[in-house]
Amino acid sequence: MEIEKTYNSAKAEKTWYQYWLDKKFFKSTPDHRIPYTIVIPPPNVTGVLHMGHMLNNTIQDVLIRRARMLGFNACWVPGTDHASIATEAKVVALLKEKGINKTDLSREDFLKHAWDWKEKYGGIILEQLKKLGASCDWDRTKFTMQEDMSKSVIEVFIDLYNKGQIYRGVRMVNWDPQGLTAVSDEEVIHKEATGKLVYVKYKIENSTEFITVATTRPETIMGDTAVCVNPNDERYMHLKGKYVIVPVVNRTVPIIFDEYVDAAFGTGALKVTPAHDINDFNLGQKHKLPTIDALTQDGKISEAAGAYVGMDRFACRKQIIIDLTEQGLVEKVEEIKNKVGYSERTNAVIEPRLSMQWFLKMDTISKPALDAVVNGEVKLIPEKFINTYKHWMENVHDWCISRQLWWGQRIPAWYDGKGNTVVAKTKEEAVKLLNTNDVKQDEDVLDTWFSSWLWPLTVFDPKIVQNGWDKANEDLKYYYPTNDLVTAPEILFFWVARMIIAGKEYTGQKPFSNVYLTGIVRDKQGRKMSKSLGNSPDPLELIEKYGADGVRVGMLLCSPAGNDLMFDESYCEQGRNFANKVWNAFRLIKGFEVGNVEQPQSSKAAGTWFENKLSEQLEIINEHYSKYRMSDALMATYKLVWDDFCAWYLEAIKPDFIDGKAQPIDKITYEATLGYLESLLKIMHPWMPFITEEIWHLIKERGEKECVIVAEWPKQEQELDIKQLAEFEVSKELVAMVRNVRAQKQISPKEKLEVIEKSEATRSYFDAAIIKLANLSAFNYTKDQVEGAFSFQIKTTEFYIPLAQSLNKEEEIVRLTKELDYNKGFLKSVEIKLSNEKFVSNAKPEVIEAERKKQSDTLSKIKTVEEQLKAL
């Protein structure tokens, strides 16, 4: 069979992904095996693949592919999130391009446009994940707004309302003036901005005196209903019972006294605007102040403000400073840096706003979810996020679950126009409960997270809330709880925690056992990758350029759990180079001519060592997986293949060239080598699925379902021979030293050299391998020093290379003197450490033993070098 000279990644990806689909290798149904389950964090239906998705989904695919090979019934459930705010914004923008305003449409007509958009564009990101090699069970693909999923969301709302957990009320919320909806605290991004702190003078009624208030939001002055000072602030004690005149609108409001105000901060006086600040709202409630909403829903000055009506809030901010300055009411203006909240979806500056909303009480329902993480039932990886989670959950606020949108699950609350409200599944039920035909459903929809918190449950059984755990379907009973969740730390609270809450509430069980938290993908300057900065490469272009396997390896070479990934395209290049190395190694092996020849000792020794090395590294790789050290598992795999297999094993068994012709390889070594390669392909497969499947089928003819994707994960076939591994490490060091001598002395790699070991021994198991790898004429032993030879030491053993060219004594003395100085310096550092009582009393015994071994070896080296210098 002709093997292509270079690996064609595009061809392999197209061929094997379709083959895996056709053979149903990704499909999972309940059976006798132990399940291993991952549910995908559903990307927004508006989304296209970005670098964060690449990282997250590559990790999930690595975990699911390895589980499949370990014999688990591996099930990875894909799907998308309806993303209320983002999708509605997309559809509104699309309609605007066509000259249609949302306000001109009925709700039904708008939703028809939204569903049309979803059907046309909503599956793009899932198709892109296939390019990456994602081995999801695509038959199980879910969408958070499909009919059965939406029904479960409504069931949960009704259930929690009936339990007294959901209520409706006027509260201060984060308002998005562009999206025209409330958003949760977690959907507000705080950014540092430069602002103006304006010191405004409020005149005391019936007095020539003023009280100065500092504010960053002068556009809300028209909503002031009091000025507040600390009751213990001596500067203002004479003002008890007095009133001030609010600038611009000349409204008289009281001076109130409350210890909430910090007398040492600013002027010690605070303007109280209950409609536009949560703390002011609380003060207003406490002191029974009126509330004046100075802003409209879209961020303009309202009729109630009484001035600047209809002006944009930021334009008003500039104008009011000018006007107050002209009136002599601005004492000073300072430039300051402050944190400003922006909507995650629309990037509009958030306004605190009093609004009638629906809320879920979080104090009691969240406790089991807090306990689940604190007691280790659900593990966070890395553990550093446990404290963050604990802090959030111990300070949790009621969850605002209503959104002023049309795209989403509509709240099942109904009103009769007489102040009565009922919660019911259908209008017919509401009519019966309210005893009138004149009923109107709530206009709002539920927060997107109120559907996705049910994701691990409803992807398997949408009727779980209705039926309860005892009557749950076969899928849920089999696959739930799931095993691993891979997601980002920024949604730890408003998705991960809430899924645990829902799981505990409706099954009494955790939704998953482990939460692997990825870092943020940043550029090499440390900036978060984003469209606006233009620093985020197109993942599909990377795949086209470096192959999916190359990109997968590149993403995970530098991605420790919980730490940010400083991405550089050179990592993908390194991944592609690794794929090419594997391909070339395979071509080399398949190019060997198998002959009826005896197995040389060098090949036998190399095989014995590599079997040991494979077992050792497999144990290490498995350990890394068990601790979710994904980058470490990949790097150990990379070194096992590139260094141990390609650079050492293949070099040791590669047949010699005689008279320009490659000699045949013995059958035992050849078949063993193919066996090692197959084991390596299995270990590499989770990281590099395409090239491993391609080579797997080129090695030999296989049955249609004999694929590496379902091959058994390698097992340790033999007990480790630690002594032999250590012995070969010395052999490798010896070969490296011989190669260095060749380079230093400009001796051709083809010229054979002799190496002599000063030892009581007469032979070693790896002598033949050393001769082959270092291209030696002989490897001999002596008990005496060899005069006039180039000498060096490995650990405590001396080696000599007799050279045909005469040894330059002066150069050798300089070299040995440098070596002696280095070893003396190193010995001093070790002895300082060992003389430190604190170190000796606190360090582990094995650490102290290692330091003493360094001391002993270095003393031996010093003695040897001094003897060599003396001889010279």
Side-chain angles (χ1 to χ4, degrees):
M1 183 192 300
E2 184 68 30
I3 298 167
E4 291 182 38
K5 187 175 180 182
T6 55
Y7 171 58
N8 186 332
S9 58
K11 181 182 172 186
E13 287 158 20
K14 185 178 179 183
T15 300
W16 292 114
Y17 199 84
Q18 190 57 51
Y19 190 88
W20 295 328
L21 287 173
D22 292 343
K23 302 304 174 190
K24 310 277 186 198
F25 287 133
F26 305 162
K27 189 168 179 59
S28 175
T29 52
D31 61 22
H32 63 281
R33 291 173 294 168
I34 298 170
Y36 174 85
T37 317
I38 295 178
V39 292
I40 201 169
N44 286 353
V45 74
T46 57
V48 291
L49 202 63
H50 59 61
M51 298 304 285
H53 293 132
M54 292 280 281
L55 172 63
N56 186 295
N57 287 284
T58 299
I59 292 168
Q60 290 176 79
D61 196 44
V62 168
L63 292 171
I64 209 82
R65 283 179 181 273
R66 180 169 178 268
R68 199 178 279 124
M69 297 174 78
L70 284 167
F72 292 99
N73 187 348
C75 179
W76 184 12
V77 181
T80 50
D81 188 286
H82 65 274
S84 293
I85 298 173
T87 305
E88 185 143 327
K90 285 265 189 191
V91 176
V92 167
L94 190 70
L95 290 171
K96 194 168 271 189
E97 286 175 13
K98 297 177 179 178
I100 304 169
N101 290 319
K102 178 187 170 185
T103 50
D104 298 334
L105 297 172
S106 68
R107 187 182 194 116
E108 290 69 26
D109 286 342
F110 177 82
L111 288 175
K112 186 178 182 301
H113 283 287
W115 277 106
D116 287 346
W117 183 93
K118 183 265 172 188
E119 292 307 316
K120 188 172 182 180
Y121 300 105
I124 289 174
I125 193 164
L126 297 183
E127 289 304 311
Q128 291 175 326
L129 283 176
K130 293 176 182 178
K131 299 281 187 188
L132 184 64
S135 57
C136 302
D137 183 349
W138 298 108
D139 293 342
R140 290 183 175 272
T141 303
K142 297 289 184 181
F143 173 52
T144 53
M145 247 177 78
Q146 66 189 57
E147 189 177 359
D148 56 352
M149 303 281 276
S150 286
K151 279 181 180 176
S152 67
V153 175
I154 300 305
E155 290 279 359
V156 168
F157 183 94
I158 294 169
D159 177 65
L160 293 175
Y161 178 82
N162 290 337
K163 289 174 178 173
Q165 293 288 99
I166 287 178
Y167 65 93
R168 188 174 187 240
V170 175
R171 296 286 186 277
M172 185 70 71
V173 296
N174 302 305
W175 186 261
D176 180 344
Q178 187 173 321
L180 299 178
T181 182
V183 295
S184 66
D185 290 344
E186 295 77 28
E187 291 166 300
V188 178
I189 307 299
H190 291 277
K191 303 177 191 176
E192 191 172 86
T194 301
K196 289 182 167 60
L197 185 63
V198 187
Y199 289 77
V200 182
K201 298 193 292 186
Y202 287 59
K203 192 173 187 297
I204 309 296
E205 188 183 37
N206 301 322
S207 168
T208 57
E209 192 180 351
F210 288 84
I211 185 169
T212 302
V213 171
T215 179
T216 57
R217 305 196 60 207
E219 71 276 11
T220 64
I221 282 174
M222 294 82 76
D224 291 354
T225 55
V227 168
C228 187
V229 295
N230 190 297
N232 302 312
D233 193 332
E234 293 181 1
R235 294 173 294 176
Y236 303 122
M237 282 183 176
H238 66 290
L239 296 177
K240 283 185 179 173
K242 300 285 187 180
Y243 288 79
V244 298
I245 299 168
V246 177
V248 181
V249 291
N250 297 320
R251 184 190 310 117
T252 302
V253 300
I255 298 173
I256 61 173
F257 290 78
D258 197 291
E259 290 189 347
Y260 165 75
V261 177
D262 182 355
F265 184 77
T267 65
L270 176 79
K271 67 190 276 299
V272 182
T273 321
H276 299 289
D277 182 274
I278 184 61
N279 298 310
D280 291 11
F281 174 72
N282 292 334
L283 278 172
Q285 294 285 295
K286 183 177 177 181
H287 293 274
K288 296 183 170 55
L289 299 174
T291 298
I292 300 170
D293 192 345
L295 294 171
T296 61
Q297 288 191 354
D298 58 352
K300 293 185 171 61
I301 307 302
S302 69
E303 292 279 351
Y308 305 102
V309 175
M311 186 178 282
D312 176 78
R313 55 186 168 153
F314 298 120
C316 178
R317 182 180 295 178
K318 291 178 183 176
Q319 189 59 46
I320 204 168
I321 295 172
I322 294 167
D323 295 348
L324 291 173
T325 303
E326 287 175 355
Q327 294 168 36
L329 295 178
V330 174
E331 190 174 283
K332 62 178 177 176
V333 178
E334 293 176 350
E335 291 272 329
I336 61 161
K337 295 276 188 189
N338 63 340
K339 292 279 189 180
V340 177
Y342 290 80
S343 168
E344 184 184 39
R345 298 299 180 201
T346 65
N347 206 36
V349 174
I350 290 294
E351 283 292 342
R353 181 178 177 82
L354 282 174
S355 180
M356 179 68 81
Q357 301 286 347
W358 288 91
F359 295 87
L360 172 62
K361 293 178 187 175
M362 293 291 280
D363 50 356
T364 56
I365 199 172
S366 64
K367 192 172 184 312
L370 170 60
D371 294 341
V373 169
V374 172
N375 67 25
E377 184 186 3
V378 174
K379 289 182 172 60
L380 302 187
I381 301 153
E383 291 181 348
K384 68 179 183 179
F385 288 106
I386 293 173
N387 285 337
T388 307
Y389 181 92
K390 190 167 178 278
H391 175 75
W392 275 340
M393 297 296 279
E394 287 175 344
N395 297 277
V396 68
H397 299 294
D398 287 356
W399 176 9
C400 176
I401 57 173
S402 46
R403 296 290 181 268
Q404 289 62 56
L405 301 164
W406 284 350
W407 176 250
Q409 287 94 6
R410 192 171 179 180
I411 291 174
W414 307 79
Y415 311 103
D416 65 357
K418 298 174 186 176
N420 299 309
T421 305
V422 295
V423 167
K425 273 189 209 177
T426 63
K427 184 176 181 179
E428 290 71 28
E429 284 182 42
V431 166
K432 283 182 186 176
L433 290 167
L434 288 167
N435 199 26
T436 175
N437 287 319
D438 188 17
V439 298
K440 186 180 179 187
Q441 188 176 356
D442 197 300
E443 290 290 324
D444 293 351
V445 299
L446 287 158
D447 178 12
T448 300
W449 297 106
F450 197 81
S451 60
S452 56
W453 75 324
L454 305 174
W455 185 248
L457 294 164
T458 53
V459 293
F460 296 115
D461 186 357
K463 293 183 177 179
I464 177 62
V465 180
Q466 182 182 338
N467 295 339
W469 178 252
D470 291 340
K471 294 181 180 177
N473 68 12
E474 183 190 12
D475 268 14
L476 191 65
K477 291 270 184 160
Y478 180 75
Y479 292 112
Y480 190 93
T482 66
N483 295 77
D484 296 324
L485 177 77
V486 181
T487 190
E490 55 261 38
I491 57 174
L492 179 58
F493 176 67
F494 62 116
W495 190 45
V496 177
R498 289 171 179 168
M499 283 190 287
I500 302 173
I501 292 170
K504 288 288 186 179
E505 180 73 14
Y506 290 107
T507 69
Q509 300 182 63
K510 61 188 177 184
F512 27 71
S513 298
N514 305 292
V515 181
Y516 181 99
L517 296 157
T518 64
I520 295 168
V521 184
R522 299 184 181 276
D523 64 16
K524 48 189 175 182
Q525 295 175 44
R527 301 174 303 171
K528 184 176 179 179
M529 286 189 166
S530 68
K531 281 184 188 174
S532 57
L533 286 174
N535 63 345
S536 182
D538 181 337
L540 295 182
E541 287 180 8
L542 289 177
I543 289 172
E544 194 175 325
K545 189 173 180 182
Y546 300 107
D549 291 335
V551 176
R552 288 165 68 109
V553 169
M555 290 292 291
L556 293 182
L557 274 174
C558 54
S559 176
N563 292 330
D564 292 351
L565 183 158
M566 300 301 173
F567 180 78
D568 188 322
E569 201 169 311
S570 63
Y571 288 123
C572 295
E573 187 176 0
Q574 190 178 351
R576 181 187 63 190
N577 292 347
F578 184 39
N580 289 339
K581 182 78 172 178
V582 173
W583 185 258
N584 289 335
F586 165 64
R587 288 184 71 246
L588 173 71
I589 296 164
K590 290 297 277 186
F592 292 156
E593 180 192 338
V594 182
N596 188 20
V597 293
E598 189 178 340
Q599 184 184 32
Q601 176 58 29
S602 56
S603 296
K604 186 177 180 182
T608 305
W609 164 73
F610 189 74
E611 280 176 20
N612 252 310
K613 192 69 180 175
L614 186 59
S615 290
E616 177 202 50
Q617 291 304 305
L618 184 59
E619 188 177 322
I620 290 168
I621 289 164
N622 286 337
E623 174 73 6
H624 286 322
Y625 272 116
S626 72
K627 297 286 192 337
Y628 293 87
R629 295 193 294 252
M630 305 301 285
S631 286
D632 292 342
L634 172 58
M635 188 49 74
T637 303
Y638 183 96
K639 288 179 177 176
L640 173 64
V641 176
W642 191 296
D643 296 343
D644 298 321
F645 185 67
C646 296
W648 289 105
Y649 174 76
L650 288 182
E651 287 300 312
I653 62 105
K654 189 167 66 175
D656 290 328
F657 266 78
I658 298 176
D659 298 329
K661 188 174 185 298
Q663 300 304 293
I665 191 170
D666 66 279
K667 188 178 180 184
I668 294 171
T669 302
Y670 182 74
E671 289 182 353
T673 302
L674 286 178
Y676 302 147
L677 177 60
E678 287 190 347
S679 293
L680 293 175
L681 290 174
K682 293 175 186 178
I683 295 169
M684 286 187 285
H685 179 76
W687 312 99
M688 309 174 80
F690 294 108
I691 192 170
T692 51
E693 196 70 83
E694 179 79 1
I695 293 174
W696 182 262
H697 289 272
L698 287 172
I699 288 174
K700 64 182 181 183
E701 287 291 324
R702 301 185 192 266
E704 65 173 25
K705 290 206 170 182
E706 283 184 80
C707 294
V708 74
I709 188 175
V710 287
E712 186 180 357
W713 184 257
K715 291 176 181 165
Q716 285 178 275
E717 300 293 345
Q718 62 182 55
E719 198 172 320
L720 279 185
D721 188 334
I722 304 297
K723 186 181 174 186
Q724 199 175 70
L725 283 171
E727 194 178 330
F728 194 76
E729 286 307 307
V730 173
S731 301
K732 283 162 67 177
E733 209 173 325
L734 173 56
V735 171
M737 282 297 298
V738 174
R739 289 170 178 171
N740 284 341
V741 170
R742 288 183 187 279
Q744 286 172 18
K745 305 295 181 185
Q746 296 182 325
I747 300 169
S748 167
K750 293 179 181 177
E751 185 180 331
K752 293 190 180 291
L753 299 175
E754 180 190 7
V755 171
I756 303 167
E757 180 180 329
K758 186 181 178 186
S759 169
E760 295 291 328
T762 56
R763 64 182 295 277
S764 159
Y765 185 70
F766 291 114
D767 286 357
I770 293 167
I771 291 168
K772 175 76 185 290
L773 288 163
N775 191 25
L776 303 180
S777 58
F779 185 81
N780 295 314
Y781 295 83
T782 182
K783 295 175 186 175
D784 305 312
Q785 193 165 314
V786 179
E787 299 293 335
F790 184 91
S791 62
F792 57 89
Q793 188 168 334
I794 297 172
K795 298 195 185 306
T796 58
T797 306
E798 283 181 73
F799 294 89
Y800 303 95
I801 302 178
L803 297 173
Q805 62 200 64
S806 61
L807 194 68
N808 186 314
K809 283 191 179 183
E810 286 73 22
E811 284 182 8
E812 192 66 3
I813 288 169
V814 169
R815 183 184 74 81
L816 289 170
T817 303
K818 281 182 183 177
E819 191 176 335
L820 182 64
D821 291 343
Y822 169 79
N823 280 297
K824 283 182 175 178
F826 182 73
L827 178 65
K828 187 177 178 182
S829 69
V830 172
E831 289 179 335
I832 288 170
K833 197 181 282 187
L834 287 171
S835 65
N836 184 329
E837 288 181 18
K838 191 176 179 183
F839 169 75
V840 174
S841 58
N842 292 329
K844 292 179 180 177
E846 58 266 30
V847 173
I848 296 168
E849 183 58 35
E851 291 301 317
R852 287 190 175 135
K853 180 80 166 57
K854 287 179 191 174
Q855 183 185 36
S856 169
D857 287 351
T858 309
L859 280 167
S860 175
K861 283 182 181 178
I862 288 170
K863 183 184 175 187
T864 300
V865 173
E866 284 176 340
E867 285 177 358
Q868 289 171 347
L869 279 167
K870 188 178 177 184
L872 285 167

